[in-house]
Amino acid sequence: MTPEGKYADIMQDPLFIQESDEVYRNPTEVKMSQIVLPCHANHCGELSVGQLLKWMDSTACLSAERHAGCSCVTASVDDILFEHTIGVGNVVNIIAKVNRAFTSSMEVGILVNCEDLYADRQWKVCHAFATFVARRTGAGKVQLKQVLPRTQMEQMEYSLAAERRRMRLIHAEIITDLLNSSTAQLGECQEYQDAVPAERTRVESVELVLPPHANHQVSTFGGQIMAWMENVATIAASRLCNAHPTLRSIDMFHFRGPSHIGDRLVLKAIVNNTFKQSMEVGVCAEAYKGGEPLRHINSAFMTFEVLDSDRKPCTVPRIRPEPVDGKRRYQEAVARRKIRLDRKYILSCKQAEVPVSVPWEPSNQMYLSFNNVTALKLMDTRNNWVLTSEKNKVRLYTLEENHMLCFKVEMNVSVAAEQTFHLLSDLRRRKEWDPVYEECEYIKQADEEDTLYRVATPSVSKWGIGLDFILLASRRMPCDARDPYLIALRSVTLPTHPPTEDYTRGEVLCAGFTIWEESSTVTKITYYNQATPGVLPYISTDIAGLSSSFSSTFSACSHFLEANKDSPAALPLSALTHSMASLQVDQKHQQEGLA
């Protein structure tokens, strides 16, 4: 897409939208504008990504410190995709603001766009999320004040920050498990006659941390470390292709320990693998002082391309890995690439463009779950719903936007929120109150908070056949008192459960419940659904005002919840996971004749 075509997207970005009256401004918002000079650029006349990372980190750190009122350090940075390069003479505009604060850490959203002053154009370069930790000298652990979102966009980012935090906390463990399982299936590395030895791309460089590289607490700026890492990675990539490479993306990474003034930072890089038109470079940063042993500061994986004169990616040379560790890195790079492609396929689209039935597999479970919950949270933050009908204190709302019809049903019940959550979490019990759920088959436990089900529904016409759905149910407990309980549903496909002649396979784009605690005994339940052709026939008469079946269905739900409000069957998630796993073992034993 051309820079001109990106302009509209920038203006709609949550971090870029300004209030129409321009009276309100987020108190944590910090802006930086820098004109790109030759000293900031490489020999191609493009801004060094390392310099851009330093500016991004500085802006985000100032935003974090504005909220915390004390010094902050960079803890992690999420995946960054660089959509465009930036030329000398252009202006880099960076906006950072705190989306949400937790106990002593906070998420800062960063938007980078480029401005051509002479052509009056601007376009988005990248959008990133960084986590900062507050550090107050000699005052113990910092307890951060809460962020108070005031606009719809701020509320949306506040809500999504909790889900992004969850993914960060489980990211390293899940990636390790996926790499271990994936590399075991890859077999031996392929040998190519014209391959470049990986050893030729190895780079090692040392940097002395001086006062200009550190903050007022003598800790090295995270952006400075990232810039040094980008420098050695670029050299490694250049040695492979004998050309100037362009950095396209950086995988999520965490700072494992601090670095201070006087430290020597040893930076190592090597090309792990190549993929026709791209290459992965692994980078490691370690620190030492005097005779101390090396301390691991950070590791990162960066993806580079080589562009021709028309800015199109070129084919890059094959790599021949070193024995043992080189082959391990080679195979892990293949697995990481698959994870990146899964992530891009699921997360890079706008919500209206997200593929409906994405194939489920362990390598994309983390991103499918994230997308599932994020879609429901986005729908929950909408404030332009229209009340269509109300009966027996059950309210039906509709929202038509971007050629997409959504509806929600709201009601209050005299049942504790946690008990309501546990009762609604098990979809197998939904047929006790919802006539649309004719069958619900438990398929498997994807992880502790995600379950796969097959749901069958009756036909809406007398002579038709019913629909069935393969659903991923993602459950979330509140992060704090300002979050609801969540049960998000979306369609996926499973090779073990293909469509059959008895049912038409339906699809759910986004559906689920938000459960808010109004008091210790009163709970507000909201059911959302982004209506697809498979779902619409079941609700069309209610939306048109020709029926009130929604009222009877959710009144039945209320009776079901109140009848079971003291039931011990409402297990906590860990126990629910264990019981489902036990059920799966029992079913297997029965099939084998052992039970």
Side-chain angles (χ1 to χ4, degrees), residues 40-67:
H40 302 137
N42 55 36
H43 67 277
C44 294
E46 296 170 352
L47 173 66
S48 160
V49 174
Q51 180 63 58
L52 177 60
L53 291 170
K54 287 169 64 175
W55 287 339
M56 290 169 64
D57 182 67
S58 297
T59 311
C61 185
L62 291 171
S63 174
E65 291 183 345
R66 178 176 283 185
H67 179 74

Side-chain angles (χ1 to χ4, degrees), residues 244-259:
H244 183 76
T246 298
L247 180 58
R248 279 302 181 209
S249 67
I250 305 175
D251 289 2
M252 179 189 294
F253 60 85
H254 299 260
F255 287 92
R256 301 176 185 273
S259 165

Side-chain angles (χ1 to χ4, degrees), residues 6-20 22 24 26 29 31-33 91-97 99 109-115 121-127 151 153-154 156-157:
K6 287 284 184 182
Y7 183 79
D9 289 342
I10 296 170
M11 301 308 294
Q12 293 303 313
D13 194 290
L15 280 171
F16 200 85
I17 290 178
Q18 305 294 312
E19 298 302 304
S20 57
E22 296 190 346
Y24 169 74
N26 188 300
E29 182 180 280
K31 297 181 180 181
M32 178 185 285
S33 293
V91 173
V92 177
N93 296 308
I94 305 172
I95 302 175
K97 61 177 71 172
N99 291 329
I110 311 161
L111 174 69
V112 180
N113 71 76
C114 182
E115 182 180 0
R121 295 184 293 117
Q122 54 183 320
W123 56 93
K124 179 180 172 182
V125 175
C126 67
H127 189 181
T151 68
M153 287 299 176
E154 288 179 1
M156 180 187 73
E157 291 298 338

Side-chain angles (χ1 to χ4, degrees), residues 322-371:
E322 304 167 281
V324 191
D325 282 347
K327 290 187 176 181
R328 173 186 56 80
R329 290 193 298 266
Y330 182 97
Q331 292 176 323
E332 288 180 350
V334 175
R336 275 190 296 271
R337 181 172 185 263
K338 184 182 186 310
I339 293 167
R340 287 185 204 108
L341 292 174
D342 287 338
R343 178 183 68 217
K344 183 177 180 181
Y345 182 61
I346 296 167
L347 301 184
S348 295
C349 304
K350 295 179 181 177
Q351 192 55 43
E353 300 168 351
V354 172
V356 180
S357 289
V358 176
W360 180 91
E361 53 187 52
S363 66
N364 66 10
Q365 158 59 26
M366 177 171 63
Y367 301 110
L368 277 173
S369 178
F370 174 82
N371 176 266

Side-chain angles (χ1 to χ4, degrees), residues 585-595:
V585 171
D586 290 343
Q587 289 174 340
K588 182 179 179 182
H589 287 174
Q590 289 172 1
Q591 292 170 357
E592 296 172 350
L594 299 176

Side-chain angles (χ1 to χ4, degrees), residues 203-316:
V203 181
E204 181 172 325
S205 180
V206 65
E207 298 282 353
L208 174 62
V209 180
L210 299 172
H213 304 139
N215 60 23
H216 44 283
Q217 288 198 328
V218 303
S219 296
T220 315
F221 280 117
Q224 180 63 69
I225 297 174
M226 288 187 279
W228 284 333
M229 294 174 73
E230 185 269 340
N231 177 60
V232 293
T234 301
I235 296 171
S238 300
R239 286 180 175 173
L240 173 75
C241 57
N242 297 321
H244 183 76
T246 298
L247 180 58
R248 279 302 181 209
S249 67
I250 305 175
D251 289 2
M252 179 189 294
F253 60 85
H254 299 260
F255 287 92
R256 301 176 185 273
S259 165
H260 304 288
I261 291 175
D263 279 347
R264 280 71 170 168
L265 249 64
V266 180
L267 303 132
K268 302 174 183 177
I270 192 169
V271 176
N272 291 331
N273 207 337
T274 59
F275 309 101
K276 192 175 180 180
Q277 295 180 331
S278 66
M279 69 191 91
E280 180 194 276
V281 180
V283 198
C284 174
E286 297 173 313
Y288 72 94
K289 184 179 291 185
E292 296 176 357
L294 288 170
R295 310 188 311 272
H296 186 195
I297 302 299
N298 192 7
S299 291
F301 300 99
M302 304 184 182
T303 302
F304 287 85
E305 294 177 347
V306 178
L307 306 180
D308 62 18
S309 57
D310 296 323
R311 311 298 294 171
K312 302 293 183 185
C314 303
T315 301
V316 298

